[in-house]
Amino acid sequence: MAKTDFDVIVLGAGPAGLTSGIYLARSKAKVLIVDSSIPGGQMVLTHEIANYPGIESTSGYMLANTMKKQAESFGCTIKGNVQVLDVELKNETKSISLKSGETYTAKAFILATGGRSKMIGIPGEKAYKGQGISYCATCDGDFFQDREIIVVGGGNSALEEAVSLTKYASKVTIVHMLDDWQAFDYAVEEMKANNKIDFLLESRIIEFKGEGALNEVMIEDIKNKNTYSKKIDGVFIFIGYEANTDFLADKEINLNKRKEILVDRDMKTNIEGVYAAGDALEKKYRQITTAVSDGTIAALSTLEYIHKK
């Protein structure tokens, strides 16, 4: 193999990517971690993390910062807030090209690009995104001090963030399409115990309205097919994530119909020397701990690969 700038390039600096970097660099591999945003991925958007083993409670931002410092302390080079123009994965020597003009090469590649918040896809959503519609309670919660808001979703994230938003909002109404919750019992119990929270099951928002900023939603009662208007100051949407894999459309990486990356138990993709980890994978559970696990396995598998070279 030709001489490369790095042993491994990790694309994505969320918990999966940072964990990969920690394991790789601690084993003396030369590692570059690249991300289009700040290190931490979706973890940064989480107000409180209370189920990460060994830590009683912390914010997503603080945990991300700790992981970043740890990766750097072992020797990782981390480039955040950069725009990636292209990646070359098929050749024996892998490469990444940035808009700033740099191109870096490596013996192996780890895809840890994570996911992005899923949109409902209804009229007015794009128009009022950032103008009353948010996908991040940590980022935007304090803009809704003493105001009435809606949270859309019925999973753990929706219920947990609804509770966290009651620190700011005067009232939170959860709107969920199904007749029951898709969250763990602890999240349901905590939500129901909060006197600032109300909820509408078997209901969905069908349109966002407003003048300049969002101030009204149209809601459909799915069971009875009735629609009605509700005045509101803001809406937070937590209905899942989509894999950040659009850039892989022409890279011959095997994806499923939801554009999630397919890997084996060693986190190997169908292309030699290319591994993947985290929320961009086809998987049932998406937690920080599962991303960390993926990142560990991807790193150890990648080390085995480059040592054979």
Side-chain angles (χ1 to χ4, degrees):
M1 177 177 280
K3 184 175 179 1
T4 58
D5 300 312
F6 292 90
D7 292 315
V8 186
I9 293 172
V10 180
L11 183 54
L18 290 172
T19 299
S20 290
I22 289 168
Y23 270 80
L24 289 163
R26 192 166 184 264
S27 297
K28 306 305 179 184
K30 191 177 180 184
V31 183
L32 171 66
I33 303 176
V34 177
D35 201 291
S36 60
S37 185
I38 63 171
Q42 293 289 326
M43 174 169 59
V44 174
L45 307 181
T46 305
H47 175 74
E48 182 182 20
I49 297 169
N51 57 358
Y52 192 87
I55 299 175
E56 288 188 6
S57 179
T58 187
S59 69
Y61 176 82
M62 289 300 296
L63 185 56
N65 195 46
T66 300
M67 288 185 180
K68 173 179 178 288
K69 288 181 177 178
Q70 190 174 6
E72 290 175 328
S73 74
F74 287 125
C76 289
T77 299
I78 300 178
K79 290 184 175 291
N81 292 310
V82 298
Q83 185 174 341
V84 177
L85 291 183
D86 195 24
V87 294
E88 172 52 56
L89 303 175
K90 281 189 65 182
N91 295 338
E92 186 177 10
T93 297
K94 319 300 180 186
S95 66
I96 188 167
S97 301
L98 307 182
K99 187 178 182 181
S100 52
E102 301 101 327
T103 296
Y104 300 100
T105 59
K107 300 171 186 175
F109 214 101
I110 295 178
L111 299 166
T113 49
R116 59 187 179 273
S117 298
K118 189 179 292 184
M119 298 178 68
I120 301 174
I122 60 174
E125 186 171 8
K126 289 183 179 179
Y128 298 110
K129 184 178 180 181
Q131 300 293 324
I133 296 177
S134 175
Y135 304 83
C136 174
T138 304
C139 312
D140 300 325
D142 59 350
F143 293 124
F144 295 90
Q145 192 73 47
D146 299 323
R147 297 186 178 185
E148 291 195 15
I149 61 173
I150 283 175
V151 166
V152 179
N156 288 316
S157 292
L159 272 56
E160 289 171 2
E161 299 297 4
V163 171
S164 74
L165 284 164
T166 59
K167 292 189 302 183
Y168 310 106
S170 58
K171 181 180 178 182
V172 177
T173 301
I174 302 174
V175 177
H176 182 40
M177 292 180 62
L178 303 181
D179 62 357
D180 202 0
W181 307 105
Q182 277 65 61
F184 293 130
D185 289 344
Y186 77 84
V188 176
E189 290 168 5
E190 188 177 10
M191 176 272 295
K192 288 184 175 180
N194 194 305
N195 59 16
K196 281 190 174 183
I197 296 178
D198 195 4
F199 52 84
L200 300 170
L201 294 176
E202 294 185 276
S203 298
R204 64 177 181 174
I205 297 176
I206 57 174
E207 186 177 0
F208 296 104
K209 295 183 175 183
E211 296 180 5
L214 177 74
N215 59 27
E216 181 183 1
V217 295
M218 296 299 299
I219 297 176
E220 179 186 41
D221 181 322
I222 296 172
K223 189 175 182 179
N224 298 317
K225 302 298 181 183
N226 297 327
T227 61
Y228 57 94
S229 169
K230 181 175 177 65
K231 294 293 183 181
I232 203 71
D233 297 308
V235 175
F236 287 78
I237 299 171
F238 304 106
I239 57 171
Y241 297 102
E242 296 172 316
N244 289 325
T245 58
D246 293 344
F247 72 102
L248 294 174
D250 61 348
K251 301 303 178 186
E252 298 186 25
I253 290 281
N254 286 345
L255 307 175
N256 65 13
K257 63 182 180 180
R258 295 184 298 277
K259 300 181 180 179
E260 297 163 337
I261 303 170
L262 300 176
V263 295
D264 66 13
R265 65 182 183 180
D266 296 322
M267 301 297 150
K268 293 170 60 178
T269 71
N270 59 299
I271 297 179
E272 185 179 5
V274 180
Y275 300 80
D279 285 1
L281 304 186
E282 178 184 64
K283 57 195 303 186
K284 183 175 182 179
Y285 299 114
R286 288 176 169 81
Q287 297 287 303
I288 296 171
T289 48
T290 61
V292 166
S293 173
D294 292 345
T296 302
I297 297 168
L300 296 175
S301 299
T302 303
L303 284 169
E304 185 178 3
Y305 170 79
I306 61 178
H307 287 158
K308 287 180 180 178
K309 294 291 179 181

